[in-house]
Amino acid sequence: MKDFKWYYHRLRAMPVGEIPHRLRCAISAARLERFGGPLSRDTIRPEGPPYLALHFSEEEVAPLKEQLVYYQQVRSIALSPRAHVFSLLGAPERDFGTPVNWFCDPVTGDNWPSDVSAFRLNYRHQSRLGEVKYVWELGRMPWLVPWAIAARLTRDGDLARRVVEDILSFVRSNPPYRGVHWTSGIELAVRVVAWTWALALIEPLTSPTDHEWQEIGFHIALYADYCWRFRSLYSSANNHLIAEGVALQVAGLAWPWLPKAAQFAERGRAILDREIPRQIFPDGSSIEMCLSYLCEVLVWSFAAGRVRTQHGLRIPDSWLERWQASANLLLTVCSDNEPLPHLGDDDEGDVLPTGQPIQPHELGQILALLSGKEVEPSARQIPLLGLVWGPQERVARLCSPPSESVAPLPGTARTPPNVGDTQLFPDCGLVVLRGLKTRVLADFGPHGMPPIYAHAHADALSVTLDIAGYPVLVDPGTYCYHGERVWRDWFRSTAAHNTVEIGQQNQSQMLGPFLWGRVARTRIIENDLAPHQKVCAEHDGYAPLVHRRCIRRLSNKEAQSLLKENVASDIDIEEADAFWVLDTVAPLASARTSEAELLSLARDTILWWHFAPGHIHLASHSVHWRHGSRELTLVWSASEPVIAEIHEGELSPPQGWVSPCFSVKYPAPALGLRIALPQRLPIEFSSLILAWHRAASQ
């Protein structure tokens, strides 16, 4: 019954043109299932050496030697009996064997079906096997590129051969269109990039035989064909479509001896030249309103850009403009090496894993380089850079500076932001407020990418706060995608974010794990960031009621006075910041509902504040949080009596949890300020947030 409801709502979300596309996909799947693919292995005729039109010179690999100690450790493990012992996406460590058991679920230990039609395998609604992301991650082979880098740096032919053997093991265990690893185009696209880069890196050390190139090339060609045949169009045209375009471009340009290589390359080019400017907004943000998916799309674009420049193809100005804007966004939001904040979903997808996760400020530096900007010399030692940045003179020729209309990119050797540094990114509605040691981010933007808003959370007007790079008022995260529906729903819910929940309902309507119905519409109603560092917005998710929120950074003088009044007189004010948040629940101007009905709708109005794990103390009108040298006091008042409760690690219903990474969750305190039976409208909550670093002597 749940499956039927999901398919019903999913069909309703499709624009008219999508239905014929889905029918064509279904017919194509039936033909492939019955008659096999459009290519036979005999049509694959490898030509080489070199077999790949992607090469890494010693000059390009040289900066990776700065991490030689790390890659020597990678080599040591890869050549040991623990070669295939992994912890995938936070799951418990497991030995997947040699050869690898490509179908093993790392959580349950059960095997996903390997010899059934991929088109009949329902991975979305699994109950026994759970989260498909784990086995997909295994199929992405995230160890492959680090092994190839380690082999290249240490000149180890044995390790290089192990890279080839793992690819062959996968190919031979996953015949075309059979099993879980043929169910998603983006998973095929990741393998196209990973295999291509790994084989190019080990080229000077070893090479597959002609027969092995034929086996691997056969899969690359079918992957590219699949990505075109089942491309993610219409309501699904998100980061998956960019991944599919990259797979086509890489297969077409880096594997020129494949049948239809030129056609693959042209199709990929057309997709990417249209989608990168569409999916990255002029302010540098992502159409999906997720910073993690912005980073993933950027790395996809790097991979395509690398094979283009290898072939003397110029990078479009539209890409360069978006790269420059995204550099501005990442270097503003994540200044001074701050963590990437949670906004919407984050599945930790890594297109080109080097073994060392790319930090957002490092990604900003790479963007700056590709946009023709100067960066610190240390930026050239970022591991990912060696995989996407070709010889400087070639890239400089093919990446001419974008137009003057683009906002200037701040220097990447950026000093810590001045007090009062603020910025509003208008397309995504992200507001950055900065104090002496604090970063406050307000999500005052749209719900996500219509019409299904797949990776959105019901987090309109939510706020987070970091002290010296440590998250304190937090977005709890993502936790899971497919496996545990209760937790999937809670981590996306309004009650899991620092905003107002009304009537135990979400601001937007969940219809499935990646499907939303009615969504909250948000608009900024006051922008006074300069000079008063104040911004206000509202959303209509609870129509005929409206939730408005204003946030303002207070001056040092105001902060000092408020700290002495509300906390203690011995705080070192030089390390303290103060922010004021005003929440109002009122009738929409257009509402034609009686006051009695509006008050009934406003029952159980709750203002939520989610904290990172730490020591917390609740007083009559305030709460104090502390972890190490970082402290925060939140003082509130309201238009009506408030019931204040701390929730932590509750299960039924869930409340008081954080998920720092995919598949991991642990208890953390959440403060709920509840007005159960409001007597009048508007309802108001005033929250004073005082945050500081306590000096060691204190």
Side-chain angles (χ1 to χ4, degrees):
M1 188 63 176
K2 287 183 179 179
D3 288 9
F4 173 78
K5 286 183 178 179
W6 180 86
Y7 283 112
Y8 169 73
H9 290 303
R10 186 66 183 86
L11 187 64
R12 288 191 63 193
M14 293 180 186
V16 174
E18 183 168 0
I19 295 174
H21 167 68
R22 296 285 178 175
L23 288 173
R24 286 192 295 271
C25 288
I27 293 169
S28 186
R31 287 176 176 170
L32 292 174
E33 187 178 18
R34 183 171 182 182
F35 301 111
L39 301 171
S40 69
R41 199 182 306 271
D42 293 339
T43 63
I44 309 297
R45 296 183 176 86
E47 296 177 7
Y51 289 90
L52 293 178
L54 175 68
H55 310 287
F56 292 96
S57 67
E58 293 304 315
E59 174 193 359
E60 295 169 87
V61 175
L64 292 169
K65 292 178 181 177
E66 294 291 325
Q67 288 83 33
L68 182 59
V69 173
Y70 170 79
Y71 286 110
Q72 285 173 332
Q73 294 172 344
V74 169
R75 172 182 174 273
S76 178
I77 294 171
L79 295 174
S80 77
R82 292 181 56 82
H84 295 125
V85 177
F86 307 117
S87 172
L88 300 174
L89 296 176
E93 198 173 74
R94 180 176 288 274
D95 187 348
F96 293 92
T98 301
V100 174
N101 177 357
W102 298 105
F103 307 98
C104 178
D105 182 273
V107 175
T108 65
D110 291 336
N111 285 342
W112 281 78
S114 61
D115 194 28
V116 299
S117 168
F119 305 116
R120 296 178 183 271
L121 205 165
N122 188 349
Y123 61 84
R124 290 187 180 90
H125 304 288
Q126 268 290 331
S127 57
R128 181 178 64 84
L129 288 167
E131 179 62 68
V132 72
K133 286 287 295 179
Y134 297 120
V135 73
W136 277 350
E137 188 71 12
L138 181 66
R140 289 186 174 196
M141 305 168 69
W143 64 90
L144 201 68
V145 173
W147 281 14
I149 295 171
R152 180 71 174 266
L153 293 180
T154 61
R155 312 301 295 180
D156 191 319
D158 290 339
L159 179 54
R161 182 60 200 176
R162 290 204 172 193
V163 169
V164 176
E165 288 170 353
D166 272 10
I167 296 174
L168 291 171
S169 168
F170 187 91
V171 164
R172 293 163 183 171
S173 300
N174 290 272
Y177 316 117
R178 309 294 292 178
V180 69
H181 293 298
W182 283 89
T183 53
S184 174
I186 193 172
E187 303 306 315
L188 278 59
V190 169
R191 286 195 287 279
V192 169
V193 172
W195 294 2
T196 304
W197 258 250
L199 291 168
L201 281 163
I202 64 172
E203 181 183 33
L205 306 173
T206 191
S207 179
T209 66
D210 280 0
H211 177 70
E212 290 169 345
W213 276 115
Q214 184 184 48
E215 287 186 274
I216 298 169
F218 180 54
H219 271 243
I220 294 289
L222 290 182
Y223 288 172
D225 176 78
Y226 185 109
C227 287
W228 174 256
R229 194 182 294 266
F230 301 108
R231 58 197 183 279
S232 302
L233 300 179
Y234 300 99
S235 63
S236 297
N238 60 358
N239 64 89
H240 287 230
L241 182 55
I242 285 181
E244 292 151 6
V246 173
L248 285 158
Q249 185 124 89
V250 171
L253 292 178
W255 301 72
W257 41 267
L258 294 180
K260 300 184 179 180
Q263 193 175 49
F264 291 155
E266 175 56 27
R267 287 171 172 175
R269 183 207 61 77
I271 290 172
L272 296 175
D273 287 357
R274 180 183 67 248
E275 289 301 314
I276 287 174
R278 184 183 78 87
Q279 293 199 35
I280 301 177
F281 283 139
D283 69 358
S285 63
S286 164
I287 194 174
E288 298 190 81
M289 304 298 159
C290 300
L291 291 180
S292 64
Y293 278 104
L294 168 65
C295 294
E296 183 173 328
V297 163
L298 289 168
V299 180
W300 280 117
S301 72
F302 295 168
R306 174 57 197 255
V307 294
R308 286 192 182 194
T309 58
Q310 185 87 54
H311 288 75
L313 302 175
R314 194 171 173 278
I315 301 298
D317 286 348
S318 60
W319 290 29
L320 297 171
E321 290 174 358
R322 294 302 196 255
W323 281 350
Q324 187 172 350
S326 293
N328 179 36
L329 185 148
L330 290 172
L331 292 169
T332 299
V333 172
C334 301
S335 175
D336 201 23
N337 301 354
E338 291 164 316
L340 191 73
H342 287 152
L343 286 175
D345 276 343
D346 181 2
D347 69 346
E348 301 168 49
D350 202 344
V351 179
L352 269 173
T354 65
Q356 302 185 71
I358 183 74
Q359 301 302 315
H361 71 279
E362 293 177 329
L363 191 56
Q365 291 173 328
I366 293 175
L367 286 161
L369 264 176
L370 296 177
S371 300
K373 300 294 179 179
E374 289 298 323
V375 298
E376 299 171 329
S378 61
R380 295 184 180 275
Q381 272 69 56
I382 299 170
L384 180 64
L385 185 59
L387 305 183
V388 299
W389 179 256
Q392 187 170 353
E393 65 279 1
R394 184 181 74 212
V395 176
R397 185 174 70 253
L398 299 171
C399 296
S400 59
S403 67
E404 296 295 328
S405 63
V406 181
L409 178 69
T412 53
R414 197 177 176 196
T415 56
N418 297 319
V419 175
D421 270 6
T422 61
Q423 191 161 345
L424 165 65
F425 294 90
D427 296 315
C428 65
L430 181 64
V431 180
V432 183
L433 295 170
R434 289 194 176 275
L436 289 159
K437 292 289 184 179
T438 54
R439 175 187 70 173
V440 170
L441 300 176
D443 182 1
F444 286 0
H447 184 64
M449 176 182 160
I452 65 173
Y453 309 93
H455 291 296
H457 289 191
D459 58 355
L461 309 190
S462 63
V463 168
T464 63
L465 180 145
D466 298 357
I467 302 176
Y470 185 88
V472 176
L473 293 174
V474 301
D475 180 318
T478 299
Y479 180 60
C480 67
Y481 272 1
H482 297 282
E484 302 176 70
R485 182 63 183 272
V486 170
W487 290 107
R488 172 66 175 155
D489 287 354
W490 183 78
F491 275 97
R492 295 187 299 156
S493 71
T494 301
H497 294 86
N498 298 323
T499 187
V500 169
E501 177 195 27
I502 300 177
Q504 300 180 16
Q505 300 295 314
N506 291 309
Q507 307 156 337
S508 298
Q509 180 189 18
M510 291 184 198
L511 296 177
F514 299 93
L515 181 62
W516 296 82
R518 173 196 50 79
V519 300
R521 294 174 298 176
T522 304
R523 69 184 185 100
I524 293 175
I525 56 178
E526 181 181 353
N527 179 6
D528 194 13
L529 286 176
H532 297 113
Q533 300 179 63
K534 177 184 178 184
V535 64
C536 303
E538 66 180 21
H539 77 81
D540 65 356
Y542 293 112
L545 297 170
V546 63
H547 171 209
R548 299 188 183 99
R549 168 167 278 184
C550 291
I551 182 168
R552 180 167 74 92
R553 181 183 180 269
L554 305 181
S555 68
N556 280 7
K557 185 176 180 180
E558 290 173 300
Q560 182 174 11
S561 173
L562 290 165
L563 272 169
K564 290 179 178 178
E565 178 183 343
N566 292 281
V567 185
S569 59
D570 63 342
I571 300 298
D572 181 3
I573 191 57
E574 296 304 318
E575 298 295 323
D577 290 303
F579 299 87
W580 170 73
V581 179
L582 176 65
D583 289 290
T584 304
V585 176
L588 278 166
S590 59
R592 298 183 178 180
T593 310
S594 70
E595 184 174 3
E597 290 175 302
L598 290 169
L599 287 170
S600 178
L601 291 171
R603 292 177 59 150
D604 287 325
T605 294
I606 306 176
L607 172 59
W608 290 105
W609 292 107
H610 293 264
F611 293 84
H615 175 78
I616 196 159
H617 173 71
L618 179 64
S620 58
H621 287 85
S622 67
V623 65
H624 181 77
W625 176 95
R626 176 172 52 83
H627 180 81
S629 61
R630 297 167 175 86
E631 299 191 46
L632 181 144
T633 291
L634 189 150
V635 184
W636 71 82
S637 61
S639 58
E640 305 209 29
V642 166
I643 302 168
E645 296 178 319
I646 298 292
H647 305 262
E648 188 166 359
E650 297 175 5
L651 296 173
S652 186
Q655 188 54 268
W657 297 87
V658 296
S659 175
C661 61
F662 200 84
S663 84
V664 173
K665 68 179 187 299
Y666 46 72
L671 170 68
L673 303 176
R674 178 170 172 254
I675 296 178
L677 297 168
Q679 300 300 306
R680 60 187 180 277
L681 293 172
I683 300 169
E684 288 190 348
F685 295 94
S686 178
S687 302
L688 173 65
I689 301 169
L690 306 165
W692 68 95
H693 243 148
R694 186 181 287 273
S697 61
Q698 298 177 325

